[in-house]
Amino acid sequence: MSGATGADRICLTLPTNRACADTIASIGEEAAYAAGRFGVEVHLLVLDSSEESTFTVHAKAVDGLPAAAGVVVHHLDEARQREFLRRVIDASGVAEPARVLELMLPDAVSYGACTNRAFLIAAALGCRSVHRRDSDSAYQVLDGSPVFPIHHELLSLGKRAADAAPGVTENALDAAHAGKPVALVGGSFVGELSVDIGEIRELDRAVYDEVVGLWAPTGASAQERRELVDDSFVGGGTDPFTHDRAVLDVPDIFRIDMCNIGLDHEVYERLPLPPATDTIGSDYFLLHVVRDATLPGVVHNRHIVNYYTPERRTGPGFTAYQLRFTKFLLSMLYLYPVYFDMEAAGGALLDDEHRVRVAVIADSVRRSIGTDRAENVRRLAVLDRAYRQLGGRYAEFADHLATLRDRLLDEAQADTEDFALLIGAWGPLVRACRTAGPEQLAR
């Protein structure tokens, strides 16, 4: 890849907008483990959107990381990220450069956008893969040592499935896919639900089931909704790690969380994630692409420990988080048609070199923009009734949600339009990064 100097480079990234000095120290240990165990050059990338005082604490944590051979650390605030993006966007020649910059670095929380920035920076650094962790997570421990997911990621990622098979504990992959590359390696989490709605389940299980069931596609049966509810947000359960289990197959993406994932560059350099703001789950699109395109993956049990930071349960934090959950439910109206198209296409999503056919997916995203809004109107009505039934601060949130109804319906559609725009710009952006190389980041 352009920008490399012969080194086998990977990018281990931690996007954050909150205090997480302990996580920085832990991910530094994982980076050192990867470099020492696998002989790779690890670019540890901390994308920091925190306020200035928190950034300063993080900078001290980064400076305090023990020197490790083969580990290069990059700690970038939003000003440096924006500078990098402006240079790349200018060099790419994409249409609507100001809008593309806004989609890449919005003035709001975007799980997809922060990961997209990691993808582009990894391309500029000449990395062959991106490995993502989150600030509100930690590693399990076995016999006094942390259990690092990157172990399985580097054993398999990017290899032909047939060559990766000796490194897993179970090979369930159809032989027809043995010549394809392992595109994704991931695990899940143990601990609290990945989405902070456990209190709803405690208050009223029937309301919880109805609200989570809104995730299902239009026309889903009662049984399909029930299965989705039972499978949603629970991760790897609560059992602690005792021994390795890694399964090679077309991946079961319900067993993978974005705090515990590695992706091969042939996936993320072809397609971005949806850049929707204030929408949980907006960073999971590529998992669907890998699965539906019948690309091999490895699902392992080196689960991350998930925990909640306090701010999402305070007044403003509670409101913001519940709004992100609402927008997640509304985003499904436009994503499901794309998922169904990809699932129907199956292996035809890949070209003869097992690379994703971007144009097919881009066309599907554009078509989904015109989806009838009736189902989203119904979703908002159900949420309004459910939150009022819960009472207290949930009823207060329902009052707030009612004032945003029309805006949220518009935003869900606009987010899909933005995704289509970014897909069109992505190829030129990636080429600009790879052409410029690491010096594009170092200026």
Side-chain angles (χ1 to χ4, degrees):
M1 296 172 60
S2 298
T5 57
D8 185 10
R9 294 178 174 177
I10 68 164
C11 176
L12 176 59
T13 188
L14 175 68
T16 184
N17 65 351
R18 60 169 70 96
C20 62
D22 290 344
T23 305
I24 291 172
S26 296
I27 201 173
E29 291 182 40
E30 187 173 26
Y33 173 88
R37 179 68 178 264
F38 293 93
V40 293
E41 183 176 293
V42 182
H43 286 260
L44 175 53
L45 175 64
V46 181
L47 296 176
D48 201 335
S49 297
S50 304
E51 60 182 11
E52 185 176 353
S53 60
T54 301
F55 181 89
T56 300
V57 173
H58 290 170
K60 291 179 180 178
V62 168
D63 290 342
L65 292 175
V71 176
V72 182
V73 183
H74 311 268
H75 181 208
L76 307 182
D77 62 10
E78 285 203 348
R80 287 193 62 193
Q81 294 176 51
R82 185 174 290 106
E83 182 183 358
F84 165 79
L85 290 169
R86 281 180 174 145
R87 285 196 297 267
V88 167
I89 290 168
D90 288 346
S92 71
V94 296
E96 301 186 59
R99 183 61 183 147
V100 171
L101 178 60
E102 186 178 1
L103 296 179
M104 289 299 303
L105 188 56
D107 186 24
V109 172
S110 174
Y111 302 95
C114 70
T115 312
N116 284 338
R117 296 196 295 276
F119 291 157
L120 289 187
I121 292 171
L125 291 170
C127 297
R128 64 172 171 89
S129 55
V130 166
H131 311 254
R132 198 187 103 171
R133 308 291 181 255
D134 282 353
S135 56
D136 53 354
S137 58
Y139 301 102
Q140 293 194 75
V141 175
L142 180 66
D143 297 331
S145 298
V147 179
F148 293 128
I150 207 161
H151 178 85
H152 286 300
E153 293 166 358
L154 292 180
L155 275 177
S156 300
L157 204 55
K159 294 181 179 177
R160 288 176 63 252
D163 298 329
V168 299
T169 60
E170 180 183 348
N171 181 5
L173 188 69
D174 189 303
H177 305 308
K180 298 176 182 176
V182 176
L184 175 158
V185 177
S188 191
F189 61 90
V190 294
E192 301 182 89
L193 297 177
S194 60
V195 175
D196 193 357
I197 54 175
E199 185 182 51
I200 298 177
R201 187 171 62 178
E202 294 169 4
L203 290 170
D204 191 321
R205 181 58 198 246
V207 168
Y208 175 86
D209 290 353
E210 185 174 32
V211 167
V212 176
L214 293 174
W215 184 8
T218 305
S221 68
Q223 178 62 27
E224 289 168 336
R225 289 180 186 275
R226 162 57 56 193
E227 292 173 355
L228 181 66
V229 170
D230 290 344
D231 229 8
S232 296
F233 314 133
V234 296
T238 57
D239 293 338
F241 178 86
T242 58
H243 62 280
D244 277 307
R245 183 171 186 268
V247 180
L248 175 64
D249 200 353
V250 173
D252 179 355
I253 61 176
F254 264 80
R255 305 292 168 239
I256 298 172
D257 194 84
M258 282 299 292
C259 69
N260 190 355
I261 195 169
L263 286 163
D264 184 68
H265 72 97
E266 287 289 5
V267 176
Y268 63 77
E269 288 188 356
R270 298 187 70 77
L271 276 166
L273 293 166
T277 57
D278 297 316
T279 307
I280 63 170
S282 59
D283 46 352
Y284 280 76
F285 186 81
L286 293 180
L287 277 69
H288 290 267
V289 173
V290 169
R291 181 193 64 182
D292 294 340
T294 66
L295 284 167
V298 172
V299 179
H300 62 79
N301 67 337
R302 292 193 172 208
H303 302 317
I304 292 287
V305 179
N306 181 57
Y307 61 87
Y308 296 144
T309 49
E311 78 277 356
R312 70 178 65 179
R313 290 176 171 171
T314 62
F318 173 83
T319 300
Y321 193 85
Q322 294 301 319
L323 187 60
R324 292 170 197 167
F325 177 61
T326 299
K327 291 192 67 175
F328 158 73
L329 296 174
L330 298 181
S331 73
M332 291 298 110
L333 179 72
Y334 301 97
L335 288 174
Y336 270 121
V338 183
Y339 294 160
F340 292 150
D341 284 350
M342 294 194 301
E343 187 175 6
L349 284 175
L350 303 177
D351 63 19
D352 292 340
E353 296 182 7
H354 310 307
R355 296 177 302 190
V356 175
R357 298 181 189 272
V358 177
V360 175
I361 297 173
D363 182 60
S364 180
V365 173
R366 286 192 294 268
R367 288 199 308 273
S368 77
I369 293 169
T371 305
D372 189 283
R373 293 182 175 187
E375 176 63 13
N376 272 356
V377 172
R378 185 189 74 84
R379 284 184 171 114
L380 287 176
V382 171
L383 283 175
D384 181 85
R385 173 174 50 77
Y387 280 130
R388 294 187 190 283
Q389 184 175 333
L390 292 171
R393 60 179 179 170
Y394 291 95
E396 292 175 4
F397 177 73
D399 290 338
H400 177 66
L401 196 59
T403 68
L404 302 176
R405 178 183 176 279
D406 291 340
R407 193 193 88 186
L408 292 176
L409 292 171
D410 290 341
E411 284 182 2
Q413 179 174 338
D415 287 342
T416 311
E417 295 169 351
D418 289 340
F419 186 31
L421 172 64
L422 191 59
I423 291 174
W426 195 247
L429 291 173
V430 170
R431 286 192 292 274
C433 289
R434 294 176 65 182
T435 299
E439 55 274 13
Q440 190 80 340
L441 187 65
R443 294 182 193 178

